[in-house]
Amino acid sequence: MLRLTLRQVRADGLRLLLSSVAVVLGVAFVAGTLIFTDSMRAGAYARAGAFDRHTDLAAYAGKEPLPPALIERVRAVDGVAAAAGELIGSAGVVGSDGRPVLGYAVLAAIPTDPALQSYDVVSGRLPERPGEVVLDAPTVTEQGFVLGAPVRVGGSAGPARPYTLVGTVDVAGTSRDVGGPFVGLVGAEALVVGGEPGYGRIMVAARPGVDREALAERVRAAVGPDVAVKDRQVILDEAVTDAVRDRQQFGLFLLTFAAVAVVVAGFVIANTFAIVLAQRTRRTALLRLVGATRGQVFRATLGEAALTGLVASAVGVLAGVGLAMGLGALMSRMDAPVTGTLAVTARTVLVCLGLGTLLTVLSAAVPVWQGTRVAPVAALTDAAVRPAQRAGRVRLAAGGLILTGGVAALFGAGAAGQLPLVAAGGVLAFLGIVLFGPLLVPALVRVLGWPARRLLGATAGLAVANAVRNPRRVAATATALVIGIGLVSAFVVGAGSAKAGIERAVDRQIGVDFLVTGIGGDLPAPLAGELAARPELGIVHEQRSHAVGGVELRAADPALVRRTLSGVDAGDPAGLGPGTVLVHRELAAARGWRVGETITLAGRSFRVAAVVAAEGPALAGGPVPAGYVVDVVDADFARLFPTERGYLAEVDPAEGVAPDTARAAIESVLAGYPTVNLLDQAAYKKMLTGTVDMVLAFVTALLGLAVVIALVGVANTLSLSVVERARENAVLRAVGLTRGGMRTVLAVEAVLTALVGTLLGLALGIGVGAGAMAVVARIGGDFTLVMPWGRLGLVVAVAVLAALAASVLPARRALSRPVVVALGAE
């Protein structure tokens, strides 16, 4: 039986080739993901704790930053050799062209004591006094900066000012490498630039021979009970954990899509073995007649599946190495911080070989079990090649009920406001399609085939008949497409709806020509005042808010506040001014506040000018209950909370000033602020929706592999069906069907199969997307269902074209044998 198994693998190698491609692609995805994440993890481990090589202890801030005076207290502790404060924040660098260097810039306070300096200096030295700066080596090279020359650096505290560049450092692969510049200043300068009142931690180097535990206790006594003190081992352990956490999450994200590809590959493999074993029915029966038991045949066929899976998995691992290399190169081109050499571990190789082999065996198990149930004598008769049995009534009934339940769950998810219900509904609907598919898919093929029959006549009729003659086969082939297409369409619908919601929110809430936004943080403190001082600008409003006493106070401009209101219950919003406020409906009802009444907020008295209703629902998880909001003018807000900053300022030209003139005035002010960005409304929308488009493109690319595997299944089914119908096709050709007609028959069959799977996937994806948007809208947010018909149509068009391409090889195989030879085929 072993020799027979090996011979069968050699004899049916071509028949199993396309299913092997499905295994190769699925395993390659898994292997590439594991190799890539292992490489990232190895690089993260190597650089974790890179800035604590000389740190023996560290005191960490709690809710409040550590004041600079605390450093002197720590230095005075017996056994401390050196102590320095460390701050990690954000800053900006003005490039050699006078424009901000792109990317989020990390600001760090660098110790001046050599006992605590752990940076890898590439050139020059670390800063030793105020007015000196170090940058990462790539930024210096790209900008053409020269050691000893001035470089302008700014942060949230104020405009950029020149610092002397004294050195460059290597931070690649560390937590301080986020794709943008790295800026290192001495502690006092870092506090000023970052606008911070204190440090995030105080690093401590111990004197030689000092007991570390005793020193830690003395430091704890010096800093107080609210400050956590950690020893070197804890610091390094936490650094490693932080370094690999994001990599692990990214790896799990990729493996989720790899799992989808593997599931689709399982459908293709199961369908392939079902077809191949059906074509081997007489051979199997002959084995049974000459003495082979059903168990022997079952084990031999499973051995064939295992060998096929093992070989395909080995190829998949090699392809995964190439995929990991390509992914690393892609991430590097996108300026993502990726480090570490390619790490191909024995664990990854064994896991992938085992996964591919196990997937093939498990997927083939049911078809193999069913294929060995045919009685030997019956298998030698014409009954052995009769069309496959239709699906049982129990399966169809269960499928119908599960499909109905899934659809009901998707419809009810919005009213319940539960995202898990959307996921459950999607899974149930898919399972329903799988079980109900042998009835549903052929019916849809007939419906979609009607226009083709009208257009192409008997040729299309043959294609429809061929497609539906084996309901289980066509259902399995189409169902494999449902998974990938369903997920892609769900993300397309969700992304389109999210983008439309974002654009509506901008149109409703932003009523000015220009927006100034902070890059990775709040706006610098003096920026709004400098903009307001320009005569070319009429409105300058920094969006700020602060929650106190269960109420959210928002800075408001009287000229802009009406854009966010959906109604006025009492009073007149035009009365908003110094000393007056607008109270939102929910808060007024809860506190019993009325128009004209004097109320106290943050220790100051205000008169209620109007009771209003806000536009759109409040987002869940806000700092105060929904509607507990009070609008105050900018000047009053600044007096109440002088240190509160916002991340966005709205700017409008003064009366009679052209937009281009206003833009030039804004740019002249922003030239000294490298941590801010100027946008108009269209650019602001693009910035907000660009992330959605990027995520959609990334997800679509990941799910594309699952769709490709499903289309391989379409080609595989056609190829095996061509072998099965060799004599039938020869008869058709003998009675006048042309070579072009045969190609048309197979092309129409492939298109109809793929089209049904695509449309079912679109229906499932639209249902999931609609359910998710309904839940989000109920939880809080201005999101409604938007159907991106253009992108959905593109999905259908790509599926049809891919199906046409998938029919080329089967058609070539069907026409490769002479008619006379094909008429004598078994």
Side-chain angles (χ1 to χ4, degrees):
M1 293 301 295
L2 178 60
R3 289 195 297 271
L4 177 64
T5 299
L6 296 176
R7 289 174 181 173
Q8 286 188 153
V9 171
R10 290 195 298 269
D12 291 333
L14 290 177
R15 299 189 187 189
L16 297 174
L17 178 61
L18 285 177
S19 65
S20 299
V21 171
V23 178
V24 168
L25 293 177
V27 171
F29 199 163
V30 175
T33 298
L34 293 176
I35 293 170
F36 180 69
T37 53
D38 283 347
S39 302
M40 292 178 65
R41 189 178 296 112
Y45 271 113
R47 297 306 303 269
F51 307 108
D52 287 302
R53 289 195 290 263
H54 305 300
T55 304
D56 296 310
L57 299 172
Y60 287 80
K63 295 181 180 180
E64 298 294 332
L66 303 176
L70 189 60
I71 299 176
E72 295 301 326
R73 196 187 309 170
V74 173
R75 285 195 184 118
V77 173
D78 183 33
V80 172
E86 184 179 65
L87 165 73
I88 302 298
S90 63
V93 179
V94 179
S96 54
D97 59 355
R99 297 177 178 273
V101 178
L102 297 178
Y104 179 82
V106 173
L107 169 67
I110 295 182
T112 57
D113 194 319
L116 286 169
Q117 291 177 343
S118 298
Y119 284 84
D120 295 323
V121 178
V122 177
S123 61
R125 59 176 174 81
L126 295 177
E128 298 174 350
R129 60 186 64 88
E132 296 181 341
V133 66
V134 293
L135 300 176
D136 61 293
T139 296
V140 172
T141 302
E142 291 170 7
Q143 296 297 321
F145 293 146
V146 179
L147 294 185
V151 174
R152 295 173 65 203
V153 176
S156 61
R161 72 177 187 86
Y163 290 83
T164 302
L165 180 64
V166 297
T168 62
V169 293
D170 177 19
V171 296
T174 69
S175 58
R176 297 172 196 185
D177 175 22
V178 295
F182 170 81
V183 180
L185 301 169
V186 296
E189 290 278 14
L191 291 178
V192 172
V193 172
E196 296 291 341
Y199 296 101
R201 69 171 183 164
I202 297 174
M203 300 181 293
V204 177
R207 295 185 185 278
V210 173
D211 183 87
R212 299 296 192 270
E213 293 184 6
L215 178 60
E217 291 301 324
R218 291 195 293 271
V219 171
R220 286 189 183 96
V223 298
D226 296 331
V227 179
V229 177
K230 303 175 183 178
D231 61 24
R232 175 177 177 78
Q233 191 57 51
V234 173
I235 294 172
L236 294 179
D237 289 344
E238 291 183 352
V240 169
T241 301
D242 291 340
V244 302
R245 182 186 296 115
D246 292 341
R247 276 78 173 178
Q248 289 174 337
Q249 292 175 350
F250 184 62
L252 290 175
F253 176 76
L254 292 179
L255 285 175
T256 300
F257 293 93
V260 174
V262 168
V263 170
V264 175
F267 274 91
V268 173
I269 296 164
N271 201 31
T272 299
F273 272 89
I275 298 172
V276 169
L277 291 173
Q279 295 171 359
R280 285 188 195 164
T281 302
R282 285 198 175 96
R283 190 189 308 175
T284 302
L286 183 59
L287 287 173
R288 296 288 306 281
L289 284 175
V290 298
T293 66
R294 181 182 175 187
Q296 286 179 307
V297 176
F298 179 79
R299 289 189 294 273
T301 312
L302 283 186
E304 181 181 353
L307 184 57
T308 302
L310 182 61
V311 173
S313 299
V315 178
V317 171
L318 296 177
V321 174
L323 181 62
M325 295 173 63
L327 188 56
L330 177 62
M331 298 290 281
S332 297
R333 288 181 62 87
M334 295 172 62
D335 292 329
V338 178
T339 59
T341 57
L342 204 64
V344 183
T345 64
R347 177 187 63 87
T348 296
V349 174
L350 293 176
V351 165
C352 292
L353 291 177
L355 174 65
T357 304
L358 186 64
L359 170 68
T360 309
V361 171
L362 292 180
S363 300
V366 173
V368 170
W369 178 71
Q370 292 175 338
T372 56
R373 294 176 62 191
V374 181
V377 175
L380 293 176
T381 67
D382 288 339
V385 293
R386 69 184 185 277
Q389 247 182 342
R390 296 184 179 276
R393 294 181 180 179
V394 174
R395 171 179 174 170
L396 295 177
L401 290 174
I402 293 174
L403 179 59
T404 302
V407 173
L410 291 175
F411 272 103
Q418 295 292 325
L419 277 176
L421 192 58
V422 176
V427 172
L428 288 176
F430 172 71
L431 291 178
I433 291 173
V434 172
L435 295 175
F436 200 62
L439 183 62
L440 179 62
V441 172
L444 291 175
V445 169
R446 293 187 180 95
V447 171
L448 295 176
W450 182 82
R453 289 196 298 268
R454 301 278 295 183
L455 182 65
L456 300 175
T459 303
L462 284 172
V464 173
N466 286 338
V468 302
R469 71 165 60 182
N470 193 317
R472 290 186 177 182
R473 182 180 301 178
V474 70
T477 305
T479 300
L481 266 172
V482 172
I483 302 174
I485 296 293
L487 290 172
V488 168
S489 56
F491 278 102
V492 167
V493 171
S497 301
K499 287 179 61 178
I502 291 171
E503 291 173 350
R504 282 196 305 271
V506 172
D507 290 336
R508 185 183 66 249
Q509 297 181 6
I510 304 297
V512 295
D513 289 347
F514 301 105
L515 297 162
V516 178
T517 63
I519 300 175
D522 292 334
L523 297 173
L527 178 60
E530 291 188 25
L531 290 172
R534 294 301 298 252
E536 300 93 339
L537 306 178
I539 295 176
V540 177
H541 168 57
E542 184 179 358
Q543 291 188 357
R544 292 169 289 174
S545 66
H546 187 90
V548 58
V551 177
E552 182 180 5
L553 277 74
R554 293 180 183 171
D557 188 295
L560 302 175
V561 70
R562 277 189 175 272
R563 75 190 186 281
T564 62
L565 304 181
S566 60
V568 179
D569 293 354
D572 185 1
L576 177 64
T580 63
V581 297
L582 305 181
V583 180
H584 287 228
R585 176 185 296 162
E586 295 82 355
L587 179 60
R591 303 286 175 91
W593 292 344
R594 293 180 173 84
V595 173
E597 184 177 346
T598 299
I599 61 176
T600 300
L601 297 169
R604 297 178 66 94
S605 297
F606 294 91
R607 182 176 59 84
V608 178
V611 176
V612 298
E615 179 73 28
L619 292 177
V624 298
Y628 279 49
V629 177
V630 173
D631 294 314
V632 302
V633 294
D634 287 325
D636 286 343
F637 187 93
R639 280 192 292 269
L640 291 172
F641 312 108
T643 61
E644 192 72 44
R645 301 264 60 84
Y647 73 94
L648 182 145
E650 301 171 272
V651 184
D652 235 7
E655 187 70 27
V657 177
D660 290 343
T661 303
R663 175 184 282 273
I666 298 171
E667 289 176 342
S668 67
V669 175
L670 300 189
Y673 291 93
T675 59
V676 298
N677 193 20
L678 173 62
L679 304 167
D680 56 22
Q681 277 206 34
Y684 185 58
K685 289 179 182 178
K686 187 175 181 180
M687 182 189 74
L688 295 178
T689 60
T691 302
V692 178
D693 286 331
M694 183 178 66
V695 171
L696 177 61
F698 188 57
V699 168
T700 301
L702 294 177
L703 290 173
L705 184 60
V707 177
V708 169
I709 293 174
L711 290 169
V712 167
V714 174
N716 190 38
T717 300
L718 275 181
S719 296
L720 295 175
S721 297
V722 163
V723 174
E724 190 175 75
R725 300 196 297 254
R727 183 183 296 176
E728 176 184 329
N729 291 336
V731 171
L732 290 173
R733 290 172 61 192
V735 298
L737 184 65
T738 63
R739 296 174 69 88
M742 178 60 67
R743 292 191 181 95
T744 302
V745 168
L746 294 173
V748 172
E749 184 178 352
V751 168
L752 288 176
T753 303
L755 195 57
V756 168
T758 301
L759 293 179
L760 287 175
L762 287 177
L764 178 60
I766 291 171
V768 171
M773 286 300 103
V775 171
V776 172
R778 181 173 178 82
I779 293 175
D782 185 18
F783 294 103
T784 56
L785 180 65
V786 174
M787 297 297 296
W789 295 113
R791 289 189 173 184
L792 294 177
L794 181 63
V795 171
V796 175
V798 169
V800 169
L801 291 175
L804 288 173
S807 69
V808 172
L809 289 178
R812 182 175 298 176
R813 184 171 187 175
L815 296 171
S816 62
R817 302 175 72 180
V819 174
V820 175
V821 175
L823 285 171
E826 289 293 333

